[in-house]
Amino acid sequence: MDATEAAQALTQINERQQQTLRQGTPRQLPAWFNFGSAAALVLTSASHDVAGWMGTGMSLTALVALISLAFALERFTGVRLRLSAQRWTPTVLFGIVVLTTLIGVGTLLRLYDVPADGTLAGIAAALVWLAAIKPAQAAASTPRNPA
């Protein structure tokens, strides 16, 4: 294999990776995935408002829902993206903002003895999730600068 064949092979690998990223890009994620993920977040937060087996059941239901959504998304897009293909900074910042909202609102509501504080904090975090998920995913899926 000479240098031109190697360069062509590398170009073809790069083009295939970009095609895969375009096919599974967050701009094409269905709304059911975003809303389902937000609902699972609310369900997990609401599980803290009930005691006993019901709270555990709500948490397990949310976990099963998230796993099912991830599986369905993979089947829908036909692409299984590797985490190394995406940029970490937008994803981490998105997670920090959602968790900060969840913890901050929940703490304030608990401080003022508001009933169903976990559920209300989960709804606030879900609204932030829905508002920020598409820009965060779009930023995370932009190609890395090879330089």
Side-chain angles (χ1 to χ4, degrees):
M1 177 181 276
D2 63 352
T4 57
E5 290 176 346
Q8 288 175 345
L10 287 174
T11 302
Q12 186 178 20
I13 290 170
N14 188 31
E15 288 173 0
R16 183 73 173 141
Q17 183 179 23
Q18 295 306 318
Q19 178 186 4
T20 301
L21 281 173
R22 281 192 305 275
Q23 186 177 356
T25 186
R27 291 179 184 97
Q28 296 176 4
L29 288 180
W32 55 261
F33 179 79
N34 294 333
F35 284 102
S37 300
L41 178 63
V42 172
L43 189 60
T44 302
S45 299
S47 70
H48 296 284
D49 292 335
V50 295
W53 63 268
M54 188 147 188
T56 304
M58 290 169 71
S59 293
L60 289 176
T61 302
L63 177 65
V64 169
L66 286 174
I67 291 170
S68 300
L69 284 167
F71 179 74
L73 181 65
E74 182 180 320
R75 301 285 292 172
F76 179 79
T77 61
V79 175
R80 183 174 183 194
L81 287 178
R82 305 236 188 286
L83 289 178
S84 62
Q86 293 194 351
R87 295 171 47 216
W88 280 89
T89 306
T91 305
V92 169
L93 289 175
F94 170 72
I96 288 171
V97 168
V98 171
L99 285 175
T100 301
T101 302
L102 181 67
I103 293 169
V105 170
T107 301
L108 284 174
L109 293 174
R110 185 166 292 147
L111 181 67
Y112 289 109
D113 292 327
V114 175
D117 55 352
T119 304
L120 295 173
I123 291 171
L127 291 174
V128 171
W129 178 284
L130 290 173
I133 188 72
K134 286 191 179 192
Q137 290 173 336
S141 69
T142 54
R144 296 174 191 240
N145 186 359

